[in-house]
Amino acid sequence: MTDRYKHSREMLERALAVIPLGSQTFSKSITHFPQRVSPHFASHGKGSRLWDVDGNEYLDFINGLASVLLGYRDDEVDAAVTEQLRHGVTFSLSHELEIEVAERLTYLIPCAERVRFGKNGSDATTAAVRLARASTGRDRIAVCGYHGWQDWYIGSTTRDLGVPEAVKALTHSFPYNDLAALDELLTRHPGEFAAVMMEPMNSVTPHEGYLQGVLEVAHRHGALFVLDETITGFRFHRGGAQAFFGVTPDLATFGKGLGNGYPISAVVGRKEIMQLMEEIFFSGTFGGETISLAAARAVLNRVERDDVPGALAAKGAALRSGIDRILEAGGASDVFTLSGHPGWTFLNIVGTAETSAEEIRTLLLQELFGRGILFLGTHNLSAAHTDEDIETLISTYSELLPELAECARAGSVGERLRCEPLKPLFRVR
């Protein structure tokens, strides 16, 4: 067994003794990182690089599960946070930063007339659901994509242990790019749906006019249209995917990249709906925590001044072109495909008759980690990624993807694995 991950293995053993799954976050746990061949604990990061506790350096394409939009320890964000630390973090009164960041969001985001802050995406999506129910007097929610860990959503997935049946019954999934299916769902329960909530895009590009069609169907049935922009916000466009695709929802939620790794989220929307925040209960001690708000202000400055979404799209287009060439030239397109927006692309894996997709995925991660690349399935680009970083990843893929595809077809993936393959997980995208 290699000593490359010695300290990570030791820390994982300690963690598993006191922390279920050994991590606070499902996607950072042993459900996603195969044991014995993965780094499990970080030491520090800078720019596009992360170092693990064993001192190994990685070119990071996970980027804090897409929360690190600008790169680790961005100079402007660090300066804003350090300055605010000198004045305090959480106070007995509200702070001007709450107003400043809310004003910036209403300026940038088409649907944003009012703003409230939370600490993670689940805070924001759950607040949006409560607002929709309060506004419409209805209970059912239609969903498409991933919307967090709270009962109202996770009960609609196979990871529903502990969610009451009565709660599960109120949330309904619908397929992406299928307006007829959504219309049929809402028709089956006339006058009962409070909202249609969806990610504007993940691995699949919306058909022409699809998002506008969802808005029309939702409104025709008396439901609100809610876009979950936890990932797409500030990654696709400075005004979010709603500005990118030209559709204005009633409510929208933002998070992840808004704070460049600092915990902050927001629910925004039309004035008459958001004013119901004065009647429902959505309140938290740390909603106005100033360190994350200072970080968000710095992030928004960079997004607007430097056209961060445009830079991500350009780098992502170069990455997509390089991967497409590899898959075509290497005869690997039957096992690997690429999809998604250039700033957030998905490397999809298709199992063969001899090898499961989970086995292929595990071997891919084993080999990428060993070569100093952090990746879990999506390329979460940051503004810190350079052209050289993109070329490094393309070069690594050129060595790996055709070879792994051949192993998958030959049924020899298991011979190369130095660990147990990952188990299938619940899918929401």
Side-chain angles (χ1 to χ4, degrees):
M1 182 183 297
T2 178
D3 285 332
R4 177 177 173 84
Y5 308 114
K6 179 178 184 294
H7 294 302
S8 260
R9 291 198 311 275
E10 292 170 349
M11 283 194 182
L12 180 61
E13 185 177 352
R14 288 173 54 200
L16 289 171
V18 291
I19 302 170
L21 285 181
S23 175
Q24 308 306 318
T25 308
F26 192 70
S27 299
K28 297 180 186 180
S29 75
I30 54 176
T31 62
H32 286 67
F33 287 83
Q35 296 188 59
R36 299 204 309 263
V37 297
S38 301
H40 294 286
F41 293 89
S43 167
H44 61 286
K46 178 63 180 173
S48 62
R49 308 282 167 158
L50 179 146
W51 285 260
D52 69 15
V53 292
D54 287 276
N56 300 309
E57 179 180 344
Y58 300 88
L59 180 53
D60 192 355
F61 289 94
I62 303 174
N63 278 302
L65 307 178
S67 68
V68 181
L69 183 69
L70 304 181
Y72 293 108
R73 290 167 50 208
D74 176 78
D75 290 343
E76 292 184 36
V77 174
D78 278 4
V81 166
T82 301
E83 176 61 22
Q84 184 55 42
L85 265 175
R86 295 176 55 248
H87 299 282
V89 178
T90 298
F91 302 98
S92 300
L93 302 175
S94 297
H95 194 278
E96 185 180 8
L97 275 169
E98 299 172 47
I99 306 170
E100 291 182 11
V101 178
E103 287 173 340
R104 291 295 297 280
L105 293 178
T106 59
Y107 170 73
L108 291 171
I109 301 167
C111 80
E113 296 177 343
R114 296 289 187 274
V115 178
R116 283 291 299 271
F117 296 110
K119 301 312 292 178
N120 54 54
S122 295
D123 286 349
T125 56
T126 301
V129 165
R130 187 170 294 175
L131 280 171
R133 286 171 168 164
S135 175
T136 63
R138 300 172 173 185
D139 295 332
R140 295 187 189 274
I141 307 293
V143 296
C144 182
Y146 174 72
H147 306 298
W149 72 270
Q150 300 275 13
D151 282 7
W152 75 267
Y153 167 72
I154 208 66
S156 69
T157 75
T158 57
R159 201 82 180 184
D160 60 354
L161 183 64
V163 180
E165 292 297 327
V167 175
K168 295 180 190 179
L170 295 177
T171 303
H172 308 255
S173 299
F174 64 94
Y176 194 74
N177 269 338
D178 191 339
L179 284 175
L182 174 62
D183 193 30
E184 193 275 332
L185 170 63
L186 271 59
T187 299
R188 283 205 312 270
H189 303 276
E192 296 183 20
F193 275 90
V196 174
M197 178 182 286
M198 65 184 301
E199 291 180 300
M201 176 180 172
N202 45 66
S203 63
V204 178
T205 302
H207 294 159
E208 183 69 28
Y210 170 67
L211 295 175
Q212 290 79 3
V214 173
L215 183 150
E216 188 278 326
V217 170
H219 284 183
R220 177 155 43 85
H221 287 274
L224 301 186
F225 179 43
V226 184
L227 283 182
D228 181 352
E229 297 225 46
T230 302
I231 291 180
T232 58
F234 316 116
R235 182 169 289 276
F236 283 27
H237 188 280
R238 72 178 193 174
Q242 59 189 268
F244 184 79
F245 290 116
V247 61
T248 303
D250 299 298
L251 297 169
T253 62
F254 292 78
K256 290 195 184 280
L258 175 58
N260 199 50
Y262 286 88
I264 185 170
S265 62
V267 56
V268 307
R270 287 165 37 202
K271 172 185 174 181
E272 63 270 24
I273 302 170
M274 289 294 295
Q275 285 301 124
L276 286 169
M277 281 286 188
E278 297 181 357
E279 305 298 328
I280 70 169
F281 195 74
F282 176 68
S283 180
T285 300
F286 301 109
E289 174 263 303
T290 60
I291 295 301
S292 298
L293 286 165
R297 182 177 60 181
V299 167
L300 295 174
N301 287 341
R302 283 283 312 276
V303 165
E304 189 174 4
R305 186 191 70 216
D306 299 341
D307 186 19
V308 169
L312 297 183
K315 294 169 188 174
L319 177 60
R320 178 191 293 275
S321 177
I323 295 175
D324 285 343
R325 287 196 307 271
I326 292 167
L327 297 182
E328 182 178 356
S333 57
D334 58 328
V335 176
F336 299 102
T337 62
L338 197 68
S339 64
H341 180 274
W344 184 38
T345 51
F346 291 65
L347 185 65
N348 309 296
I349 300 174
V350 180
T352 67
E354 295 77 15
T355 314
S356 71
E358 288 74 24
E359 290 174 308
I360 301 168
R361 173 182 170 83
T362 305
L363 182 56
L364 175 64
L365 297 185
Q366 171 185 294
E367 297 303 309
L368 285 175
F369 296 160
R371 288 166 168 79
I373 302 287
L374 277 186
F375 170 81
L376 280 180
T378 58
H379 305 104
N380 305 330
L381 301 184
S382 81
H385 281 123
T386 65
D387 293 341
E388 291 75 18
D389 291 337
I390 300 301
E391 284 303 318
T392 295
L393 181 59
I394 292 172
S395 176
T396 303
Y397 276 154
S398 70
E399 298 173 5
L400 275 180
L401 298 186
E403 181 181 355
L404 296 191
E406 179 56 36
C407 288
R409 288 188 290 265
S412 60
V413 165
E415 299 171 12
R416 295 189 53 179
L417 283 175
R418 301 192 302 274
C419 62
E420 290 297 314
L422 293 168
K423 292 180 172 56
L425 299 172
F426 76 109
R427 293 181 62 86
V428 292
R429 295 185 177 112

